[in-house]
Amino acid sequence: MNQKDKMEAIISLCKRRGFVFQGSEIYGGLAGTYDYGPLGSLLKNNIRDSWIKTFVHDVDNMFLVDAAILMNQRVWQATGHVDSFIDPLVDDVVTKKRYRADHLLEEHGIDANVMTVEEMTAIIQEKGIKSPDGNALGPVRKFNMMLETKVGAMEDSSATSYLRPETAQGIFVNYKNVLDSMSPKLPFGIAQVGKAFRNEITPRDFTFRLREFEQMEIEYFFHPEQPWEAMFDMWLEKQKAWLGSIGVPAETLHAYEHPDTARAFYSKKTVDFEFEFPFGTKELTGLAHRTDYDLGKHAEWSGQKLTYFDEEQKKHVVPHVLEPTVGLDRAFLAVLTSAYREEGEGENARTYLAFPKHVAPALCAVSPLLKNKPELVAKAREVYAMLKQEFGRVMWDDNANIGKRYRRQDEIGTPFCVTIDFETLEGENAGTVTVRMRDDASQKRVAISDLISFLK
Ligand code: ATP
């Protein structure tokens, strides 16, 4: 199956089985937004929980915050977002459709990373680059990606706010609060999971490039004199190991180190993990050494002291930070595409999602072999209640026949199907059920009394 067909198959599965729907679908949608349905919300939540476990609970000195999406506009003036959080935009002069100039140039093998808009305009003219519809392109312009909004009833500029374009600044503005309330010693980290908004010129590739998305970010503060290289590698490894644990294989990840010329001027080193998405190898995670740029800017603009008192050295220092970041919607898509499998032919054809157990929306489904046999249904309900109490992520499924149920559960990535059949009720196998495994379709009889530990 080619990659384009694979992507289409995944998008259609997502809609059909309740993972992801177009945002505001009944009104024709809103570009760059998607809604997560019942199964997609569970999958996304499991990925988020796994990130919190790995990056917050399993790390010493890591503090989780949940800052407001709306922030004082001075935050974004201080960081430079108001002036320079821009994408280069270019119009098709005939259709008036808008495109990212750097993306169009990239498709022609030209790296526009360090170019000014004037340079991009010149190259487009020199090489006669056309829009995807074959028309001439206008001059390249700067387009600020922040979504502006008004807060309160006053229509003056003091009420201007922005839907945050990144979660990172919600962390930096709380640096002093965390320091004062938790009294951590360096190095320590502050983590945040939450929504971010960017007015992307061309949202595309399903949940890859959205206008409303979720980020999971850490700012890891350390003493400016502390060597950082080993720490940087540790975070890189941790990101890779975590992706592996949610089912994104290491061999589909490619570390990309930003060259000096393309890196933000304040960053000492930036390495992204790019993932082999069906539509190309593209950024999934980032890890940046941001020096003391953000704390420095916020100290300057807020007039607050954002330092750290080093007891040993008896002096105030401004910590530097490493920033590991990942987009939850991109991680979701990477998990889905990594798990997607098609196998068999004709009657034996099946599609399944080989999610790791802790990530799958449901750990298991429970079924009576036949739904018109009250004694099977009663026993199945009993087993269902027991498993549901233990695991929560358990589905009741009595649709169609058992073969179809297995196919339906395969398609949503349920690792186990538990079936209550006539043998469960009497005979030498009384008190046992059939457990059918998603990945190899094998079956095993398991005693109800052993079922919880078996599934664990
Ligand atoms: P890109 O170059 O793809 O636009 P970026 O380098 O601007 O991404 P960052 O600012 O580093 O992205 O954001 C951190 C993470 O947030 C990214 O690694 C990505 O996973 C996620 N992310 C960024 N923009 C989007 C978006 N429009 N939709 C979904 N996720 C996003």
Side-chain angles (χ1 to χ4, degrees), residues 158-203:
S158 67
T160 297
S161 184
Y162 303 92
L163 301 181
R164 65 182 177 199
E166 58 176 36
T167 52
Q169 299 309 326
I171 295 179
F172 288 116
V173 300
N174 279 294
Y175 162 80
K176 190 173 184 314
N177 287 332
V178 173
L179 199 60
D180 292 348
S181 59
M182 309 305 286
S183 315
K185 296 269 168 286
L186 288 179
F188 70 91
I190 305 180
Q192 171 159 236
V193 177
K195 290 268 181 157
F197 302 80
R198 294 181 188 178
N199 204 358
E200 297 277 356
I201 295 167
T202 42

Side-chain angles (χ1 to χ4, degrees), residues 133-178:
D133 293 325
N135 302 316
L137 294 164
V140 180
R141 289 172 291 138
K142 292 177 176 175
F143 174 75
N144 194 300
M145 294 166 74
M146 285 202 293
L147 283 146
E148 203 178 300
T149 187
K150 295 277 178 209
V151 175
M154 299 275 284
E155 278 289 320
D156 63 19
S157 67
S158 67
T160 297
S161 184
Y162 303 92
L163 301 181
R164 65 182 177 199
E166 58 176 36
T167 52
Q169 299 309 326
I171 295 179
F172 288 116
V173 300
N174 279 294
Y175 162 80
K176 190 173 184 314
N177 287 332
V178 173

Side-chain angles (χ1 to χ4, degrees), residues 24-25 85 117 122 173 222 237 240 248 254 277 316 318 331 339-340 346 352 382 397 408 414 430:
S24 317
E25 189 175 352
F85 193 60
V117 289
V173 300
F222 60 95
E237 277 311 306
K240 196 199 239 175
V248 180
H254 305 277
F277 287 102
H316 289 277
V318 182
Y340 190 83
Y352 69 102
E382 225 177 79
D397 191 355
R408 286 172 53 80
T414 309

Side-chain angles (χ1 to χ4, degrees), residues 367-378 380 396 398 400-402 405 419-422:
S367 311
L369 180 64
L370 301 170
K371 72 171 175 190
N372 55 3
K373 296 282 176 211
E375 61 281 26
L376 288 180
V377 174
W396 173 261
D398 60 6
N401 66 39
I402 196 74
R405 272 178 229 162
T419 304
I420 284 69
D421 48 28
F422 292 105

